[in-house]
């Protein structure tokens, strides 16, 4: 059985921009989306708990709360993105 090796060099990967630090704009975008990301993780945690058993009433409430948090975070992010920028009116 033959082995398969990648033929990429470190220089080729660096040229493609894969091996670089995030820019300030990318970090800012991540920071703006962090509430949505955290709410999504909370929802995923609640869903994982109920995968191997029927959800109890407490589990159902936790799922509903997590879904509402995701929707609320998405709405807040969308409203922030749609808000006019700059002070000129």
């Amino acid at each position: 059985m033959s082995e398969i090796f990648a033929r990429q060099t470190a220089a080729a990967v660096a040229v493609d921009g894969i091996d670089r630090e995030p820019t300030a704009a990318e970090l800012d975008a991540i920071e703006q989306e962090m509430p949505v990301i955290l709410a999504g993780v909370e929802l995923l945690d609640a869903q994982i708990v109920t995968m191997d058993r029927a959800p109890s009433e407490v589990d159902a409430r936790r799922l509903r709360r997590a879904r509402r948090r995701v929707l609320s975070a998405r709405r807040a992010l969308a409203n922030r993105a749609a808000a006019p920028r700059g002070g000129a009116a």
Side-chain angles (χ1 to χ4, degrees), residues 30 41 44 47-48 56 62 82 87:
I30 292 169
V41 169
L44 186 61
Q47 290 171 334
I48 289 171
S56 66
R62 183 177 178 205

Side-chain angles (χ1 to χ4, degrees), residues 34-44 66-67 69-71 73:
M34 191 54 70
V36 176
I37 295 167
L38 294 175
V41 169
E42 186 178 334
L43 176 59
L44 186 61
R67 284 187 190 111
R69 282 193 188 109
V70 168
L71 292 174

Side-chain angles (χ1 to χ4, degrees), residues 1-88:
M1 182 170 175
S2 64
E3 295 183 29
I4 300 172
F5 295 98
R7 292 188 173 205
Q8 292 179 334
T9 63
V13 172
V15 170
D16 291 335
I18 295 172
D19 191 26
R20 64 174 177 82
E21 296 294 321
T23 64
E26 291 170 336
L27 290 173
D28 186 46
I30 292 169
E31 185 69 30
Q32 294 295 319
E33 294 177 9
M34 191 54 70
V36 176
I37 295 167
L38 294 175
V41 169
E42 186 178 334
L43 176 59
L44 186 61
D45 286 342
Q47 290 171 334
I48 289 171
V49 167
T50 61
M51 283 179 72
D52 61 343
R53 61 185 166 94
S56 66
E57 182 60 34
V58 174
D59 293 332
R61 275 190 244 144
R62 183 177 178 205
L63 282 166
R64 282 194 305 267
R65 266 196 314 267
R67 284 187 190 111
R68 278 189 248 133
R69 282 193 188 109
V70 168
L71 292 174
S72 176
R74 286 180 182 171
R75 182 184 63 234
L77 182 63
N79 287 342
R80 211 175 313 133
R85 300 207 175 179

